[in-house]
Amino acid sequence: DTMISLPGLALATGRPEIARDILATFAGFISEGMLPNRFPDAGQAPEYNTVDAALWYFEAVRAYLDDTGDKGFISEIFPALESIIDFYTKGTRYGIKADPKDGLLYAGQEGVQLTWMDAKVGDKVITPRMGKPVEVNALWYSALRSMSAFARAAGKPSAEFDSAGDLALYGFGRFWNDKSGCCFDVLDGPGGNDPALRPNQIFAVCLSSSPLDPGRQKKVVDACAGKLLTSHGLRSLTPDSPAYKGVYGGDQSSRDGAYHQGTVWGWLIGPFAVAHMKVYGDAGKAKGFLRPMLDHMKAAGVGSMSEIFDGDPPMRPRGCIAQAWTVGEVLRAFAEIDKMSRIKR
């Protein structure tokens, strides 16, 4: 959550010193290439149970470097960044390891939820997504390209990261599903390749280094717009899926069962708006996807933005009334669209 929220909350708001402090602090907690997913109460050890936190760390560091040009900081944390790439390549907890054949990142272990879709009811993982998840590999590819840039900024060799990025780019082609005209959600899972249309593939478009060509980027945006887009975010699953849950409510078991099975996530409107701007170049329309969230600031947690919304109309706000991811991604998207618009001119 911290790494996803940081660019919007700290950089888009003109507070890079806060971003630097957070990034430096987390560098000290990297363990076997992983960032902690949670810091429990005092006296307890951090929990390392997520595949993507370390990859979002690269995105946050890249955003900080782009914002500040602070190459000295990159040199300072370079060993920590290098350790992440090394452990993810050779293997770390929960079966996380780059496949030497296609360069893609595999992650998964029975009974453990490793991606951001991490709901669990008792011993049942609702969206296990074992295998090679699409957003994890979009982030992995972007991290490798960022690492090449970090190496050059720190005066280090970059050839190893360049080669790994090239292989991951080649391997990412396997995600394309000609039948649906968009990406598989997960490759090489226990049941094969998962064709479910979820919002995770939007990251293969919106990240600074996309592993998709422009034509496929546009098809992904159109696919997400067609069945997942709402006024306040993207649905976590399409309404025509048999597993779709359109209302987030009931007891905890019912709520957790719907959490990533159709529930709309507010933070995803940021990546979608940036991706739309990237492929269509229409800043006004891209910002238009974000503006309902500004009206929403008067509707639930006054002055802030909600975590989630029902997938079915009227898409009532649910969950946390003030969610860092949502606020951060809306702020970042507005700033990113402005930046892209200036570059385009």
Side-chain angles (χ1 to χ4, degrees), residues 292-320:
M293 295 301 284
L294 304 183
D295 295 330
H296 168 68
M297 290 171 66
K298 306 169 188 174
V302 177
S304 195
M305 300 178 190
S306 296
E307 175 190 20
I308 53 175
F309 303 79
D310 286 340
D312 288 348
M315 294 154 186
R316 293 183 179 87
R318 306 283 189 178
C320 303

Side-chain angles (χ1 to χ4, degrees), residues 52-77:
D52 55 358
L55 303 177
W56 280 112
Y57 184 70
F58 276 88
E59 287 301 303
V61 171
R62 181 200 55 76
Y64 173 79
L65 179 62
D66 287 351
D67 190 73
T68 65
D70 188 356
K71 294 181 180 180
F73 180 65
I74 300 301
S75 296
E76 180 184 321
I77 65 167

Side-chain angles (χ1 to χ4, degrees), residues 227-301:
K227 292 189 175 180
L228 300 176
L229 179 65
T230 73
S231 56
H232 292 87
L234 300 184
R235 293 184 180 95
S236 45
L237 187 63
T238 55
D240 57 7
S241 169
Y244 175 79
K245 307 288 185 186
V247 175
Y248 178 88
D251 59 17
Q252 184 172 346
S253 177
S254 298
R255 296 195 309 273
D256 286 347
Y259 211 27
H260 301 105
Q261 298 292 79
T263 296
V264 172
W265 284 76
W267 76 283
L268 295 173
I269 199 65
F272 177 83
V274 170
H276 195 280
M277 175 65 184
K278 192 172 184 178
V279 301
Y280 284 103
D282 187 337
K285 190 163 187 177
K287 287 184 178 180
F289 295 118
L290 302 171
R291 289 200 174 93
M293 295 301 284
L294 304 183
D295 295 330
H296 168 68
M297 290 171 66
K298 306 169 188 174

Side-chain angles (χ1 to χ4, degrees), residues 1-159:
D1 301 26
T2 302
M3 296 307 145
I4 292 169
S5 307
L6 183 147
L9 296 184
L11 298 176
T13 55
R15 299 180 291 176
E17 69 284 353
I18 293 177
R20 192 185 199 280
D21 286 348
I22 292 169
L23 294 170
T25 299
F26 268 85
F29 285 94
I30 293 171
S31 167
E32 298 180 35
M34 298 178 71
L35 253 66
N37 192 40
R38 180 172 175 265
F39 291 102
D41 295 332
Q44 296 177 307
E47 296 177 7
Y48 295 87
N49 57 5
T50 173
V51 61
D52 55 358
L55 303 177
W56 280 112
Y57 184 70
F58 276 88
E59 287 301 303
V61 171
R62 181 200 55 76
Y64 173 79
L65 179 62
D66 287 351
D67 190 73
T68 65
D70 188 356
K71 294 181 180 180
F73 180 65
I74 300 301
S75 296
E76 180 184 321
I77 65 167
F78 191 83
L81 296 167
E82 198 169 30
S83 75
I84 295 172
I85 299 296
D86 189 51
F87 271 102
Y88 270 51
T89 300
K90 295 177 181 176
T92 185
R93 300 176 180 92
Y94 306 114
I96 298 169
K97 183 180 180 181
D99 186 333
K101 295 192 293 292
D102 59 15
L104 300 178
L105 206 61
Y106 180 94
Q109 183 175 306
E110 285 290 343
V112 180
Q113 63 280 35
L114 295 176
T115 73
W116 78 275
M117 291 187 163
D118 59 358
K120 191 174 183 179
V121 177
D123 293 330
K124 182 182 179 183
V125 177
I126 304 302
T127 49
R129 305 183 71 227
M130 286 179 61
K132 298 167 180 173
V134 64
E135 83 284 6
V136 169
N137 279 285
L139 285 162
W140 173 237
Y141 172 71
S142 187
L144 291 168
R145 293 308 192 204
S146 293
M147 194 62 183
S148 295
F150 297 157
R152 290 189 286 272
K156 306 283 187 179
S158 65

